[in-house]
Amino acid sequence: GMHLDSLQQVCNAVAFAHARGILHRDLKPDNVMVGAFGEVYVLDWGLALALKPRPGLRLPLAADFKGIAGTPHYMAPEMVEGDGARFDARTDVFLLGAMLHEVLTGRPRHGGRTAMEVLACAWRSSTHTFNTSVATDLGAICNRACADKAELRYASADEFRAAIEEFTRRRHALAL
């Protein structure tokens, strides 16, 4: 499965896309491929939207998007509401956080018996209480990335990646 190292590389790819004004919108473990030499590929840009108008970028504009698209088990609340005018880099940060959740627990962020239950869970996006096998700091990083309100999340994929990197650095320092 995926681990923290490959997730950090996914963050780099997403930060690169955001710098070019592109939102992925369907980040999940199934859309990440790790190659034979540990190289990480982010796949399936089929739901990508442009964050701002750019000449030569043939993508629909997020601001014009209305509707629900994506994978309910990972969705940010604004994706459930389907108002593209509210999508920004922090929408993908939520999805990255949901991927971290799955790395930590082995399960998707949002659960439920039916599609509607999963969407309701995504819409609420309440704080998750991790069991004791998950480091407190890492659980907090995950919950912040998956905050219901975008302004409470990390501002960028890079800021989220830096938080994971800092956690890893501290853990290695403690181990020494």
Side-chain angles (χ1 to χ4, degrees):
M2 233 181 53
H3 48 79
L4 290 183
D5 288 345
S6 37
L7 182 57
Q8 288 182 72
Q9 290 188 61
V10 172
C11 290
N12 287 335
V14 171
F16 182 82
H18 289 173
R20 276 147 193 75
I22 298 167
L23 193 67
H24 187 288
R25 260 202 320 162
D26 201 17
L27 299 163
K28 55 183 175 178
D30 278 356
N31 282 340
V32 173
M33 188 178 81
V34 182
F37 303 101
E39 68 278 31
V40 171
Y41 301 97
V42 177
L43 312 175
D44 193 1
W45 295 78
L47 292 184
L49 295 173
L51 288 166
K52 48 186 184 290
R54 264 191 59 196
L57 192 60
R58 286 195 193 83
L59 281 179
L61 207 53
D64 299 337
F65 178 81
K66 293 277 180 280
I68 297 184
T71 306
H73 285 99
Y74 304 91
M75 274 182 185
E78 62 268 24
M79 295 175 73
V80 180
E81 289 170 15
D83 178 11
R86 291 183 47 221
F87 298 176
D88 63 21
R90 296 167 302 182
T91 305
D92 275 353
V93 167
F94 187 105
L95 298 172
L96 292 167
M99 288 171 77
L100 175 58
H101 181 99
E102 191 156 330
V103 168
L104 299 179
T105 66
R107 316 173 66 92
R109 180 78 180 184
H110 313 307
R113 287 183 303 277
T114 64
M116 283 312 291
E117 279 183 20
V118 176
L119 284 171
C121 183
W123 182 75
R124 281 193 307 274
S125 287
S126 16
T127 303
H128 183 81
T129 307
F130 292 93
N131 70 30
T132 50
S133 69
V134 174
T136 312
D137 291 359
L138 210 45
I141 290 170
C142 185
N143 277 325
R144 180 174 167 193
C146 292
D148 55 349
K149 294 178 174 58
E151 59 270 20
L152 299 175
R153 299 174 203 156
Y154 294 97
S156 67
D158 202 56
E159 199 179 298
F160 173 64
R161 184 201 50 75
I164 295 173
E165 190 178 21
E166 173 66 13
F167 165 81
T168 316
R169 210 177 47 72
R170 277 204 315 274
R171 194 178 52 181
H172 289 317
L174 286 173
L176 292 173

